[in-house]
Amino acid sequence: MTPDVIRMAPDEIRTTPGADRPLVSVTEFTDPACPWAWGSEPVFRLLRLTLGSRARWRPVFGILFDEDDDPAPDPGAEARWYERFIREVTAHTDAPYAPRLHWLTRSSLPASLAASAARSQGPEVAERVLRRLRESTFVLGTPADTPDGIRGVVQGVPGLDSDRLLRELAARETREAVRADWTETRRPIPEVLDLDGPGPHPGRAKEVGEHRRYALPTLLFDGPGGRVCVPGWRPPATYFEAARTAAGDRLPLTPVRLPATAALERWRSLTRPELALLTEESAAPAEAVRVDTGHGPLWLHPDEARARAQSSFGVKAQVAGVSDNETPRGVH
């Protein structure tokens, strides 16, 4: 067990797998506006792919920027500060960032409500909705923090009923579920309260007002081998070791990787770190539509590029005019 991982005794918490129960439960404390969570997307995608049906993956939205927070006296200066922070994080994650962050999200609650509401339409739809919400900040620099902004961002997500999503994100039940996430995030396990771990983002619980909350992202793995916590920013092998330990050493260690064409078909949007980690290939598929960001490219499936070109997602200027036989203007 590496020092990156916090393991609790197996008898502290135990999950008994059954015919209809996955071997491991994974709780991901996250937020759509968190750059460390955005930078962790490649390894989390790889982990979800490898674990497959043997894991139940549950995102918990910590609300990095709450609706009750005091507004910034100078929103422009606040956006420039967060833009610098994103770029500092990118030095470690190599994730794309927007050429300019036009504003810092007014609150990450609306996006979290949308991501939570999307679960009723299936896990694959929910995963794609959350990805689009992340990209609104880290690719476009225009965070989806209003109902209209969310509608524009999620338009064209395969299998999504966007009208239903907007209705459900406004429902009392959805708000209660996300507020429960807020509370859960602010009840971190004792082991992370005074953690002095390695790396640029060791995962020590953050002091936020009168509360302490998990650092974002933090993963909790629960299974027959006990509970294992992986906080902060960690290498891929750490997460696989944690999953194996929580499963009582009953999971394979070898990550599942896909050909680049299959990865693009599955996820529809790939960053440079994702192409390297998920496919081990250096070149994107020939049919991929390249969108340049402030730090490296993002590749879109052609259908995804067309869907975004027809929406108000914001990459319209880069992928406008795409058709079956055209290369989008400004894209190469």
Side-chain angles (χ1 to χ4, degrees):
M1 183 69 63
T2 71
D4 298 11
V5 169
I6 301 167
R7 182 181 184 185
M8 279 120 272
D11 58 355
E12 286 187 29
I13 183 163
R14 184 179 296 272
T15 300
T16 303
D20 58 348
R21 181 178 296 175
L23 187 60
V24 175
S25 294
V26 184
T27 304
E28 176 192 0
F29 294 94
T30 190
D31 186 279
C34 174
W36 287 109
W38 166 240
S40 298
E41 281 276 276
V43 65
F44 290 176
R45 280 182 161 184
L46 182 65
L47 188 60
R48 286 194 296 267
L49 175 66
T50 302
L51 294 177
S53 62
R54 293 167 295 186
R56 181 179 73 93
W57 194 290
R58 182 173 68 96
V60 175
F61 298 104
I63 314 301
L64 192 59
F65 302 101
D66 209 343
E67 60 182 349
D68 296 329
D69 292 345
D70 293 333
D74 186 341
E78 184 183 48
R80 300 288 70 74
W81 167 80
Y82 203 64
E83 186 176 70
R84 290 191 296 272
F85 175 60
I86 290 171
R87 295 183 183 194
E88 289 171 2
V89 171
T90 295
H92 303 284
T93 67
D94 199 31
Y97 55 69
R100 181 173 179 82
L101 182 64
H102 295 279
W103 66 84
L104 177 58
T105 185
R106 302 168 183 92
S107 168
S108 49
L109 179 61
S112 298
L113 290 169
S116 182
R119 296 171 185 166
S120 69
Q121 301 190 45
E124 186 173 302
V125 168
E127 186 177 333
R128 287 177 172 174
V129 165
L130 179 55
R131 176 61 176 230
R132 290 274 196 101
L133 293 166
R134 294 195 198 279
E135 289 182 6
S136 73
T137 292
F138 299 109
V139 175
L140 306 176
T142 53
D145 53 10
T146 65
D148 284 345
I150 290 167
R151 182 185 293 275
V153 161
V154 303
Q155 186 175 338
V157 169
L160 176 71
D161 182 335
S162 57
D163 290 334
R164 174 183 167 186
L165 179 75
L166 270 290
R167 288 195 306 271
E168 291 184 350
L169 79 83
R172 176 177 55 84
E173 294 81 4
T174 303
R175 179 172 285 266
E176 289 176 350
V178 173
R179 277 302 167 194
D181 284 1
W182 184 98
T183 299
E184 185 177 354
T185 307
R186 284 154 183 80
R187 292 176 178 168
I189 59 174
E191 288 81 359
V192 300
L193 294 180
D194 299 308
L195 180 66
D196 186 17
H201 183 37
R204 182 174 181 167
K206 305 291 184 181
E207 293 187 10
V208 183
E210 300 177 353
H211 302 276
R212 301 284 293 277
R213 68 157 171 80
Y214 282 107
L216 305 177
T218 290
L219 296 192
L220 293 179
F221 297 83
D222 291 310
R227 166 170 282 182
V228 184
C229 175
V230 185
W233 169 254
R234 296 291 181 266
T238 300
Y239 294 99
F240 281 86
E241 180 183 357
R244 186 199 65 184
T245 300
D249 295 328
R250 285 187 278 170
L251 283 176
L253 287 176
T254 305
V256 174
R257 290 183 168 88
L258 300 176
T261 53
L264 188 67
E265 184 70 31
R266 179 185 178 94
W267 287 295
R268 296 173 64 90
S269 171
L270 294 173
T271 65
R272 181 173 56 196
E274 287 169 338
L275 183 68
L277 186 63
L278 298 170
T279 75
E280 296 187 316
E281 296 182 31
S282 59
E287 68 272 19
V289 177
R290 173 171 171 149
V291 176
D292 288 313
T293 74
H295 181 72
L298 178 82
W299 288 282
L300 301 177
H301 188 282
D303 292 343
E304 183 77 3
R306 277 187 284 272
R308 298 189 188 197
Q310 295 165 7
S311 74
S312 56
F313 186 43
V315 292
K316 188 182 296 185
Q318 292 177 287
V319 300
V322 66
S323 69
D324 289 340
N325 299 308
E326 288 182 316
T327 300
R329 295 195 302 271
V331 180
H332 58 278

mmCIF file of all heavy atoms in Angstrom, residues 87 90 328:
data_model
loop_
_atom_site.group_PDB
_atom_site.id
_atom_site.type_symbol
_atom_site.label_atom_id
_atom_site.label_comp_id
_atom_site.label_asym_id
_atom_site.label_seq_id
_atom_site.Cartn_x
_atom_site.Cartn_y
_atom_site.Cartn_z
ATOM 1 N N ARG A 87 -4.275 27.437 -14.611
ATOM 2 C CA ARG A 87 -3.044 27.193 -15.354
ATOM 3 C C ARG A 87 -1.952 26.607 -14.459
ATOM 4 O O ARG A 87 -1.133 25.803 -14.924
ATOM 5 C CB ARG A 87 -2.591 28.490 -16.027
ATOM 6 C CG ARG A 87 -3.608 28.939 -17.077
ATOM 7 C CD ARG A 87 -3.216 30.162 -17.838
ATOM 8 N NE ARG A 87 -4.303 30.543 -18.760
ATOM 9 C CZ ARG A 87 -4.177 31.410 -19.743
ATOM 10 N NH1 ARG A 87 -3.018 32.023 -19.937
ATOM 11 N NH2 ARG A 87 -5.210 31.684 -20.521
ATOM 12 N N THR A 90 -2.811 22.998 -14.300
ATOM 13 C CA THR A 90 -2.519 22.360 -15.580
ATOM 14 C C THR A 90 -1.042 21.991 -15.718
ATOM 15 O O THR A 90 -0.698 21.050 -16.434
ATOM 16 C CB THR A 90 -2.956 23.275 -16.733
ATOM 17 O OG1 THR A 90 -4.373 23.419 -16.689
ATOM 18 C CG2 THR A 90 -2.559 22.728 -18.086
ATOM 19 N N PRO A 328 -14.488 21.579 -40.622
ATOM 20 C CA PRO A 328 -14.961 22.799 -39.994
ATOM 21 C C PRO A 328 -13.952 23.920 -40.134
ATOM 22 O O PRO A 328 -12.742 23.722 -40.076
ATOM 23 C CB PRO A 328 -15.139 22.404 -38.528
ATOM 24 C CG PRO A 328 -15.260 20.911 -38.562
ATOM 25 C CD PRO A 328 -14.422 20.458 -39.703
#
